[in-house]
Amino acid sequence: MFRILLLREYPSLESMFFVALNRFSETIRDGFELLKGFEIELAPAGGLHYSRYKGKSASDLERIGILPFNMGEGRFDSHGKGTSDCSMDIARKFYDFLTPRPWMQGMYDLVAANDKHGGAISKTSANRNIRESTMGLLGKHRQHPMIGINFCVRALVACFKLAKAGQKHDDPFGEAGLRTAVEVNDAEWLGEFTTRFNEGLDFMVAEFTRAKEDLKNGARVLTGKADAPDGPDDIAVFCPALKRDVHVGVFKSDSIKSGAAARSEGWEVAIIVNSGGKVNIFTQDPKVNKWLRKRFDLRKIAGTIRMEECRIRKIALPLEDREKIGTVADAIWYLPEFLNQLFNTSTGNDERPATKIPLSTIVLLVKGTLPKCGLIDNPHKG
């Protein structure tokens, strides 16, 4: 039996859904061999390489009563395995908790789609929902992450109870659906729920505003022009797949909403460096024609940047790891399954070291490789 469930820092909604399943049902908990009072431990995202368990495998941890979930490796993890499944799909194949509970299907589908390709978690609001509020609480309380995790898990359990009782809500993870679930099944918590829900959303709004200001007023990080009125560096790169130029913006920001802010301003590619010298690359799905958007496939850029990182660090990089989805530990750059972003750092892993590649070189690598990047279908249709 497992006494500890190991999750990544800043866990995804999928991970917290898995926690809620095992808090909600003794039968499900037994199916995954978790003790009734199992504890949650957090470790940096990207695999055990960055955790205090460095040098141990997921199997090693299972032998001492620790079950990793969605950690970058292990039985219940989808990263880098060449599968369209999310980690929860894999867990369901191990123990089918869904078939006996058809009332859970809609909620499961929302969370799985959100994890796999960014599907909307709420039908009514992109912002006022369980995911956005929880991410805000996790961001605000970085030193006390269980505040956000406990909030999300308790709200999810209330949603499970509502659906099981046959009181299905059309938008279970939107604000109205969450409030209804808590009012019916956890009424004494309603006041605190409301406070925390709004606290998380307020933090995300503040982060988005800060990122927009960074984008608008920040210095041109390549040319060194302070307080440039026209914002970040704007580099035009011809993209054969689109048959037109793509504008690449380069700017500084420490906000966790910097990628969203860049997309809101129309940047199709944004290279963002934080105060610690860590660099992330975000993209917005470009218009192929009047009606269709597709996604950039950044595997070529990931391979080019990882090779340069390893050259500088004097580390061998196997050919099969150059464009690998997920984390290649020594190469320090994370390529998510979406394929349209590339992270040197993330909210879930501050332990990953800053790149040693100069920012100007990263920009040159992106300029040189972006024309070789293809476009892929966006699986999310609404």
Side-chain angles (χ1 to χ4, degrees):
M1 298 292 285
F2 300 109
R3 56 188 174 82
I4 293 174
L5 182 62
L6 183 65
L7 308 176
R8 69 187 192 213
E9 292 176 1
Y10 215 87
S12 64
L13 183 59
E14 172 193 32
S15 295
M16 289 179 280
F17 193 92
F18 184 76
V19 175
L21 286 174
N22 287 283
R23 295 290 192 214
F24 168 73
S25 168
E26 181 180 354
T27 304
I28 295 175
R29 189 168 61 245
D30 288 345
F32 289 108
E33 301 177 8
L34 284 159
L35 292 173
K36 181 178 180 179
F38 71 89
E39 299 176 7
I40 294 172
E41 183 177 337
L42 304 177
L48 300 176
H49 179 88
Y50 296 104
S51 75
R52 68 188 183 97
Y53 301 111
K54 182 177 180 178
K56 294 184 181 296
S57 68
S59 297
D60 292 334
L61 296 189
E62 287 196 21
R63 283 192 285 271
I64 58 173
I66 301 172
L67 180 64
F69 181 83
N70 201 33
M71 269 297 302
E73 58 187 276
R75 283 191 294 159
F76 301 135
D77 185 86
S78 61
H79 299 89
K81 293 182 177 178
T83 175
S84 60
D85 290 339
C86 62
S87 298
M88 201 161 57
D89 290 333
I90 294 173
R92 183 190 170 193
K93 289 177 181 178
F94 173 82
Y95 174 73
D96 185 6
F97 53 83
L98 194 54
T99 299
R101 301 171 180 84
W103 49 264
M104 189 182 285
Q105 185 73 56
M107 292 182 286
Y108 179 92
D109 290 345
L110 286 170
V111 174
N114 178 261
D115 189 81
K116 287 187 276 193
H117 49 73
I121 201 69
S122 168
K123 297 177 182 178
T124 60
S125 176
N127 299 317
R128 300 190 68 83
N129 58 65
I130 192 169
R131 184 184 184 279
E132 189 77 357
S133 179
T134 301
M135 295 304 110
L137 290 172
L138 290 169
K140 182 175 181 179
H141 299 285
R142 290 302 301 271
Q143 303 306 313
H144 303 283
M146 291 308 299
I147 290 174
I149 294 171
N150 288 337
F151 165 84
C152 186
V153 169
R154 190 165 178 174
L156 286 171
V157 169
C159 291
F160 295 165
K161 290 178 179 179
L162 189 73
K164 183 180 180 181
Q167 303 177 55
K168 182 180 179 181
H169 197 283
D170 287 340
D171 189 21
F173 297 144
E175 182 174 10
L178 293 169
R179 177 174 291 278
T180 298
V182 172
E183 284 178 340
V184 172
N185 295 293
D186 201 353
E188 72 277 7
W189 185 53
L190 182 59
E192 183 182 347
F193 162 80
T194 302
T195 299
R196 289 296 192 193
F197 183 80
N198 289 322
E199 179 187 7
L201 297 180
D202 289 346
F203 178 82
M204 294 299 260
V205 169
E207 284 292 286
F208 186 77
T209 301
R210 178 163 72 113
K212 296 266 281 190
E213 288 300 308
D214 290 342
L215 175 60
K216 180 180 178 180
N217 301 320
R220 290 193 167 210
V221 295
L222 293 177
T223 59
K225 295 180 181 178
D227 300 319
D230 49 350
D233 295 276
D234 182 353
I235 301 156
V237 180
F238 183 74
C239 182
L242 291 169
K243 299 178 182 179
R244 63 172 172 81
D245 284 346
V246 170
H247 289 268
V248 180
V250 187
F251 65 100
K252 293 180 180 178
S253 180
D254 287 325
S255 170
I256 65 174
K257 297 289 284 185
S258 56
R263 287 189 291 269
S264 75
E265 292 293 314
W267 292 98
E268 289 180 319
V269 180
I271 301 172
I272 302 171
V273 58
N274 70 15
S275 57
K278 298 180 180 182
V279 180
N280 289 332
I281 301 172
F282 297 91
T283 69
Q284 177 172 227
D285 296 353
K287 282 187 176 181
V288 177
N289 56 44
K290 185 177 180 180
W291 303 276
L292 179 65
R293 286 184 182 272
K294 290 202 171 187
R295 287 184 169 175
F296 286 109
D297 181 344
L298 297 189
R299 279 178 288 191
K300 296 293 184 187
I301 289 177
T304 301
I305 288 178
R306 283 167 170 171
M307 284 191 290
E308 180 63 11
E309 190 75 54
C310 289
R311 184 192 67 79
I312 293 172
R313 295 175 181 271
K314 296 181 170 56
I315 297 170
L317 180 64
L319 178 64
E320 63 270 19
D321 285 350
R322 292 178 184 179
E323 299 179 11
K324 180 180 178 181
I325 294 172
T327 297
V328 180
D330 292 330
I332 73 174
W333 290 83
Y334 173 71
L335 178 68
E337 289 87 345
F338 299 167
L339 302 178
N340 61 349
Q341 302 174 74
L342 185 64
F343 300 136
N344 171 214
T345 185
S346 69
T347 48
N349 190 346
D350 284 337
E351 304 301 317
R352 190 177 288 126
T355 178
K356 288 191 175 184
I357 307 174
L359 181 62
S360 58
T361 302
I362 291 175
V363 173
L364 288 175
L365 293 175
V366 171
K367 284 179 62 179
T369 312
L370 184 60
K372 303 174 186 177
C373 291
L375 301 174
I376 53 178
D377 290 336
N378 185 338
H380 177 48
K381 303 299 181 184

